[in-house]
Amino acid sequence: MTLNFFHPILLLLFLTARVGGQQPVSEEEKPLYHLIEQYAEARDTKDTALLDRILTKDIDQLVSTGEWRRGLKTAKQGMMRSSTTNPGDRTLTVRNTRFLGPTTALIDARYTIKNRDGSLRNMWSTFVAVKENGNWKISAIRNMKPTGSD
């Protein structure tokens, strides 16, 4: 009788932990997470040399204002300008990765900017990553600010 009572409770606890818990990052995904960490670091520290290493030469970026940045030089200039004119603490949290093949992956991240006044700007970023000479690089970035609820 006692076993029958606890069995559904244990099952419920197990299912809750699986649904609510974050899946562990696979060895295959770790370089993608690291790539996004490097991108966030480069933006925070305005490290253009690091951006040169992690962005492809033909990078393109669509930012939430609708501005297109095409090519490495234009993208870097826009990133540095944006970090200067829109100060705040930027956080990128990878939420999902999807491999489209052995050398191409999509990375979805929650993008939050904590403004100096304490308000939050909650957005999403999708990165297209490609493997060049054995290293993952960012080939495209799409930033979006959802309308309605965040």
Side-chain angles (χ1 to χ4, degrees), residues 118-133:
S119 64
L120 296 178
R121 185 165 184 218
N122 294 310
M123 297 179 287
W124 288 97
S125 289
T126 296
F127 298 84
V128 177
V130 295
K131 205 174 220 181
E132 289 185 351
N133 301 317

Side-chain angles (χ1 to χ4, degrees), residues 36-67:
I36 301 309
E37 288 170 4
Q38 288 180 303
Y39 173 74
E41 176 187 335
R43 290 291 305 267
D44 284 345
T45 61
K46 297 182 181 160
D47 186 342
T48 57
L50 178 54
L51 288 173
D52 284 337
R53 289 193 305 274
I54 64 169
L55 302 176
T56 62
K57 290 189 184 334
D58 64 348
I59 176 108
D60 69 77
Q61 181 182 27
L62 175 61
V63 299
S64 59
T65 63
E67 175 191 358

Side-chain angles (χ1 to χ4, degrees), residues 101-141:
T103 60
T104 309
L106 293 177
I107 308 160
D108 295 315
R110 191 64 165 150
Y111 181 23
T112 303
I113 301 174
K114 183 177 181 182
N115 298 308
R116 288 190 173 163
D117 66 3
S119 64
L120 296 178
R121 185 165 184 218
N122 294 310
M123 297 179 287
W124 288 97
S125 289
T126 296
F127 298 84
V128 177
V130 295
K131 205 174 220 181
E132 289 185 351
N133 301 317
N135 296 310
W136 285 103
K137 292 187 170 195
I138 299 169
S139 178
I141 305 169

Side-chain angles (χ1 to χ4, degrees), residues 52-107:
D52 284 337
R53 289 193 305 274
I54 64 169
L55 302 176
T56 62
K57 290 189 184 334
D58 64 348
I59 176 108
D60 69 77
Q61 181 182 27
L62 175 61
V63 299
S64 59
T65 63
E67 175 191 358
W68 280 99
R69 299 172 182 163
R70 298 183 193 271
L72 183 59
K73 181 180 176 183
T74 303
K76 284 191 320 182
Q77 287 172 342
M79 290 172 191
M80 296 302 102
R81 184 178 63 248
S82 175
S83 293
T84 300
T85 59
N86 301 306
D89 296 327
R90 288 169 164 74
T91 305
L92 282 161
T93 306
V94 174
R95 294 289 179 90
N96 187 53
T97 62
R98 179 177 165 210
F99 288 92
L100 302 177
T103 60
T104 309
L106 293 177
I107 308 160

